[in-house]
Amino acid sequence: MIRDRSGLLHRGRRTALLAVAAALAAAGLASPLTAAADPGHPNVLAAQAKPGTPKSTTTATGPHRATVGRLGAARPASAAQLAANSAAAKSGGKVTPNTADGADPGNGNDGDGYVANEYDQQVTYKGGQDSAGVVIGPPKVYLVVWGSQWGAPSTNSTGDVVLSGDKDQAVPYQQDFFKGLGSTGDGWSAVLTQYCEGIATGSVQCPSSAAHIPYPQAGSVLAGVWVDNAAAAPQAATEPQLGAEALAAAQHFGNTTEAQNRNVQYIIDSPQGTDPDKWHELGYCAWHDFQRSSYGQLAYTNMPYLTDVAGCGTNWFGENTARGRLDGYGIIGGHEYAETVTDPDTPGGWTDGTGQEIADKCAWIPKGSNGGLFFENLSTGSFPLQTLWSNTDHLCMASDPIYTNPPVVLSTMCDRTDTPGAPVSIPAVAVDSTGSAVNYSATGLPSGLSINASTGVITGTAAATNGYRRVTVNATDTTGKTASTGFWESVTSAGQPGCNGIEQLTDAGFENGSADVDHTVMTDAWNPSGYNVITPSSLHAPHSGSWYAWLGQDTGSDSITNYLDTYPGYSSATFSFWLDTETTNTSASAPDTLSLVAIDQYTGQPLGTVRTWSSQNPTNGYQQQSVDLSPFINQVGWGTTIGLQLVSHESGLTPSTAFLIDDTSARES
């Protein structure tokens, strides 16, 4: 979900269209990868230095500063860079589309239209977040037409909801697309069926016994349309407001349990002229996310009015027709749909080591190229789609064989802690291939808990346990076919009740390095302030693996920045890392410092300094540091993305302190 060579960006499940090289040029920044290819550029390892010997990050083209943040959105290392990029991306309040790879015929140069998968990595299973890794039952889409700005609703001859204020008829187009999935000729949906859950974290392939994504039943994917026109949609809806609309939609459709929402996604369509989650300013096209709620986990997509921005697929194939204007709703709508079924509770499903999901890896490859955009002929019309990454083929594919599920499958269940004497509700969700009812049972439950044989919900008030104990849940259909799953549970007053958090950061251990692939921008998830900040240098040692971050190489400041998505329904977040502070600075009045700063995603301005470390306290080896991020997330609201920037400052004329950082982690609960 980081970035592909085509310029389709995805941060916090956001799909954006920005040309990286153009953005760098507009911001007055050198293209670091192009400079790296220059024979005159210093060797990256030779340029490393111990404290007191600064490295050089400057060539004839100027300092190298990346502007890419976590999960692909154009994110600066400073507020000034954010302002420059934002100004470059705006014209009269609208995004001025840049020519991205995949949009032009190609001439063999960077940005030329010849694209392939930027990161030649397989996607791996991340273990499931909040008991969800993939969709395991027939996928369902609910279309939410948000706001009175859409005008008066009516029904057309094919049964689609149409609206008087829908200038380009985006709403019926989307209905036809989802109605057509699973019909004859839909090989695209088959690519998704290879992915599964209930397997070991880090797995690349799925055994036949695992719970796979089902191939959709023709005509069944679109489960409902809600025109929520009681009031106007916000002119610039925030992430929490979009999440609240998804919650309202679940209530409207009567989906008020975990089981009802387990295989569902809500698409929140914002009206023409609005700016949901500042899509004009941030330069993305759409994103998908999820939230915890009393109705279970809700997966949803923020879908702006795509034809407001030409770069989001409008007339992408040069048709210049009314239907061609809606190409983005096939390309981008399909992109978000596919990523939601393979990663509904992000980032618990399938991503590669850079954070890219299966659609990110294949986005905007030109039609006619290997793995390129194509038209899929469904029963409801012809729709432009992008290919999807297939681990089976190690390629971007438009079609694949269909993988079928066992007769009964059970959803992944998360390892968790609960509080003695407090009521709990732990849902088990099974799917029978014939649609028949199943009977649930469980063994190993702590005293005070029991499972409802019909609903699969474990309830009660548990007594304290001596450490973690293994709970096994079984589901049996009317023919005797069974499935089982398990989870570890500890009932203790210590810790946060509920699911144990999984890793939220991309490349938490820096092991993807700062590898340059497309020769336009550093692709590292951590947005280092310069070359060699993230390094395998032997001049210092990592905590584990081969790569680590070395801040304090430059006079002035070095930094690394990652972005953390937060989710409605969560209340606690921690950030930890291993720190080795090595210094020759003995000054008490002018120490060198390392600070962790929380950053507002929209303004680039600090929300506050979380904590500061000093050369006055050398660690004499790696020591783990842990901080509470909750007060800073509370400032902007859960469901919003925040930046986490580690920045060093050298007080003297020469660097004298190395702040070495490795094995970071962010967990939410």
Side-chain angles (χ1 to χ4, degrees):
M1 296 194 309
I2 296 286
R3 175 183 298 276
D4 65 15
R5 196 173 301 179
S6 66
L8 186 71
L9 314 180
H10 204 263
R11 187 208 59 76
R13 281 54 75 180
R14 292 151 175 75
T15 302
L17 181 62
L18 291 174
V20 177
L24 286 169
L29 302 173
S31 173
L33 301 191
T34 302
D38 190 329
H41 189 73
N43 178 276
V44 293
L45 291 182
Q48 296 289 0
K50 285 184 177 295
T53 308
K55 66 172 176 54
S56 170
T57 60
T58 304
T59 68
T61 56
H64 301 309
R65 295 291 186 237
T67 59
V68 183
R70 175 184 182 247
L71 299 178
R75 294 297 188 205
S78 69
Q81 289 180 11
L82 176 64
N85 283 348
S86 180
K90 288 190 291 184
S91 175
K94 299 287 184 71
V95 169
T96 301
N98 297 305
T99 301
D101 287 345
D104 58 316
N107 55 21
N109 298 317
D110 290 326
D112 66 359
Y114 290 110
V115 289
N117 173 241
E118 182 174 8
Y119 303 100
D120 192 27
Q121 299 182 4
Q122 298 281 54
V123 292
T124 62
Y125 181 59
K126 295 303 181 288
Q129 177 156 263
D130 276 11
S131 297
V134 301
V135 165
I136 62 167
K140 301 291 183 184
V141 169
Y142 290 91
L143 195 61
V144 182
V145 186
W146 189 19
S148 57
Q149 300 98 315
W150 287 95
S154 59
T155 303
N156 67 12
S157 59
T158 62
D160 290 335
V161 174
V162 296
L163 297 117
S164 61
D166 184 5
K167 177 183 176 182
D168 291 311
Q169 295 301 294
V171 173
Y173 183 97
Q174 291 173 86
Q175 292 170 76
D176 288 343
F177 171 65
F178 290 116
K179 285 179 180 178
L181 291 179
S183 61
T184 301
D186 179 15
W188 183 81
S189 291
V191 180
L192 299 168
T193 65
Q194 69 187 271
Y195 297 106
C196 69
E197 66 174 33
I199 55 176
T201 300
S203 296
V204 172
Q205 300 293 341
C206 292
S208 59
S209 59
H212 289 252
I213 297 167
Y215 187 79
Q217 301 170 4
S220 71
V221 173
L222 183 66
V225 180
W226 178 33
V227 180
D228 181 13
N229 58 4
Q235 177 57 32
T238 63
E239 290 179 82
Q241 285 175 317
L242 289 156
E245 182 65 6
L247 183 65
Q251 183 178 40
H252 171 82
F253 288 112
N255 295 333
T256 57
T257 68
E258 175 78 23
Q260 289 173 306
N261 284 302
R262 179 61 179 81
N263 303 302
V264 160
Q265 56 182 282
Y266 299 91
I267 297 177
I268 313 300
D269 268 359
S270 290
Q272 186 177 29
T274 59
D275 192 18
D277 193 35
K278 295 188 180 293
W279 77 301
H280 291 166
E281 292 82 355
L282 297 183
Y284 65 83
C285 293
W287 53 254
H288 76 97
D289 217 325
F290 87 103
Q291 64 175 308
R292 281 179 173 176
S293 79
S294 58
Y295 303 153
Q297 277 59 260
L298 305 180
Y300 63 97
T301 292
N302 169 27
M303 184 63 68
Y305 202 82
L306 295 180
T307 55
D308 280 356
V309 172
C312 286
T314 302
N315 283 317
W316 204 247
F317 300 99
E319 307 100 312
N320 294 314
T321 64
R323 186 168 179 84
R325 283 185 57 79
L326 296 167
D327 284 349
Y329 284 98
I331 300 167
I332 293 162
H335 177 117
E336 300 301 330
Y337 166 83
E339 291 185 341
T340 300
V341 298
T342 53
D343 190 19
D345 287 12
T346 58
W350 292 82
T351 65
D352 70 11
T354 69
Q356 288 194 331
E357 295 173 297
I358 68 162
D360 297 318
K361 293 172 71 66
C362 305
W364 301 118
I365 302 174
K367 185 175 184 289
S369 301
N370 184 29
L373 295 162
F374 67 101
F375 281 90
E376 183 90 301
N377 295 318
L378 305 176
S379 62
T380 51
S382 181
F383 297 89
L385 293 172
Q386 65 157 88
T387 56
L388 302 172
W389 181 259
S390 167
N391 274 355
T392 301
D393 303 284
H394 199 73
L395 289 171
C396 294
M397 299 295 292
S399 182
D400 250 341
I402 296 174
Y403 291 75
T404 58
N405 264 334
V408 181
V409 293
L410 259 171
S411 179
T412 296
M413 298 185 72
C414 66
D415 298 333
R416 55 186 295 129
T417 58
D418 287 300
T419 304
V424 299
S425 178
I426 307 171
V429 179
V431 176
D432 183 83
S433 60
T434 65
S436 300
V438 298
N439 186 77
Y440 296 91
S441 62
T443 59
L445 286 170
S447 175
L449 299 183
S450 62
I451 189 169
N452 185 301
S454 298
T455 67
V457 179
I458 298 168
T459 58
T461 56
T465 60
N466 182 17
Y468 278 91
R469 62 188 302 164
R470 185 69 174 174
V471 177
T472 300
V473 176
N474 304 291
T476 306
D477 71 5
T478 54
T479 67
K481 299 291 195 273
T482 64
S484 66
T485 190
F487 63 98
W488 292 94
E489 183 176 26
S490 174
V491 184
T492 174
S493 57
Q496 181 75 27
C499 292
N500 295 345
I502 68 169
E503 184 57 63
Q504 300 295 312
L505 295 180
T506 299
D507 196 17
F510 305 111
E511 292 307 304
N512 281 319
S514 292
D516 305 333
V517 181
D518 63 3
H519 305 294
T520 55
V521 68
M522 283 190 289
T523 54
D524 189 83
W526 280 94
N527 188 14
S529 57
Y531 276 108
N532 306 324
V533 170
I534 295 175
T535 177
S537 170
S538 61
L539 295 180
H540 293 290
H543 177 255
S544 69
S546 300
W547 292 74
Y548 59 99
W550 175 0
L551 303 183
Q553 298 182 55
D554 275 340
T555 56
S557 299
D558 285 333
S559 68
I560 53 175
T561 308
N562 211 326
Y563 281 80
L564 175 66
D565 292 308
T566 72
Y567 307 100
Y570 284 63
S571 60
S572 175
T574 59
F575 174 67
S576 64
F577 61 97
W578 289 84
L579 172 65
D580 181 8
T581 303
E582 301 180 6
T583 186
T584 58
N585 182 354
T586 59
S587 171
S589 59
D592 303 321
T593 60
L594 172 72
S595 295
L596 174 62
V597 181
I599 298 172
D600 184 294
Q601 68 160 330
Y602 296 122
T603 67
Q605 297 301 313
L607 296 167
T609 298
V610 183
R611 184 174 168 185
T612 296
W613 296 261
S614 165
S615 59
Q616 290 182 288
N617 301 110
T619 59
N620 299 314
Y622 279 99
Q623 295 181 6
Q624 191 172 34
Q625 314 294 317
S626 182
V627 296
D628 181 12
L629 300 175
S630 305
F632 302 91
I633 299 171
N634 289 337
Q635 292 182 40
V636 291
W638 289 85
T640 300
T641 301
I642 66 167
L644 299 175
Q645 184 174 77
L646 283 161
V647 55
S648 66
H649 179 72
E650 295 287 323
S651 60
L653 297 178
T654 59
S656 57
T657 302
F659 294 102
L660 310 176
I661 297 159
D662 203 1
D663 295 331
T664 68
S665 181
R667 308 269 173 161
E668 299 176 41
S669 57

